[in-house]
Each structure stands twice: as C-alpha cells, then as structure tokens.
Amino acid sequence: MIYIFDLLHDTETISTPLFDRTLSVLSLPKDLSTFVAQPWSLLSYSFLNEHLLELLFDCLWLYLTGRIFLNLLQTRQLLTVYAGAILCAGIVYLGLGQLHFFCYTRRVISSQWCGG
C-alpha cells in the first residue's frame, strides 16, 4: 500500500510525499517519547517493509520457517510464538535505544544515529 503512495508522488498525482510520512508513522521509533505518541508502532513495525525485495524475502523466510515450526507446533502455538517474538524484539529495540552506549563518537555517524 505504501508503494502506491510513492508511485502517486513520483508521477506528481499527489504533492505530499505520503510514503515518507507513512514510514515515519508506522515504524518503531528509537526514543521512548516518540513511542508514547505512537504505541501502535510496536505491532506495525514488523509488517512494514521499505523495499519490495525485503517484503519478498520476509515472506519467503516466514513461509520456510513456518513450515519447519508447524512440524513441531500447532498453528495457534506458531502464531503465539510469532507475536511474542515481534513484541519482545520491539521492547528490546526500545530499551537499547535508550542507551547511549551504542552511539558512535564520530561526528557524521553520531549526528545520524544519536540525534546530534
């Protein structure tokens, strides 16, 4: 759906870049203050792909690992594990985003990754 927004902007059908706006609203932010304003991003970030090949390989990976897990688990258990992994990964990402230990000291990289 967001690729349609990008196509409409590229063909100058619409003037506002909805692709960038949609990515910023649906993606999981690193800082906690922005996350409080958009809590839905804890679930929506896992279904958001910036490139079509990323979407293709995510679907392929989910299909292949899902078939392996379905040999061991039932469908309901697989969905529970998948949802739990999404939530745990998002919480860990938010937690690590609060630490300034992971910010690089070089000016160019720190301005991009650590906000200045």
Side-chain angles (χ1 to χ4, degrees):
M1 175 91 174
I2 59 175
Y3 296 107
I4 295 172
F5 294 153
D6 194 34
L7 178 66
L8 290 174
H9 179 68
D10 288 344
T11 59
E12 298 179 359
T13 305
I14 57 174
S15 61
T16 57
L18 292 177
F19 180 80
D20 298 330
R21 176 74 178 139
T22 305
L23 277 179
S24 67
V25 169
L26 294 178
S27 62
L28 187 62
K30 188 166 65 170
D31 57 333
L32 200 56
S33 60
T34 308
F35 171 70
V36 171
Q38 55 185 35
W40 59 84
S41 63
L42 189 60
L43 296 174
S44 66
Y45 83 93
S46 64
F47 301 107
L48 188 64
N49 294 303
E50 192 171 347
H51 304 287
L52 287 175
L53 279 177
E54 185 181 348
L55 175 65
L56 174 71
F57 285 113
D58 281 351
C59 290
L60 182 64
W61 178 252
L62 183 61
Y63 173 74
L64 294 175
T65 57
R67 289 185 50 91
I68 293 169
F69 276 108
L70 282 177
N71 289 332
L72 304 170
L73 305 172
Q74 295 175 357
T75 304
R76 186 178 179 106
Q77 292 171 325
L78 174 65
L79 292 175
T80 304
V81 168
Y82 184 67
I86 289 171
L87 292 175
C88 287
I91 291 169
V92 167
Y93 179 77
L94 284 171
L96 291 177
Q98 304 309 308
L99 301 176
H100 294 289
F101 175 74
F102 294 101
C103 297
Y104 293 109
T105 56
R106 282 192 252 163
R107 244 188 299 167
V108 173
I109 295 175
S110 68
S111 67
Q112 292 174 354
W113 288 34
C114 301

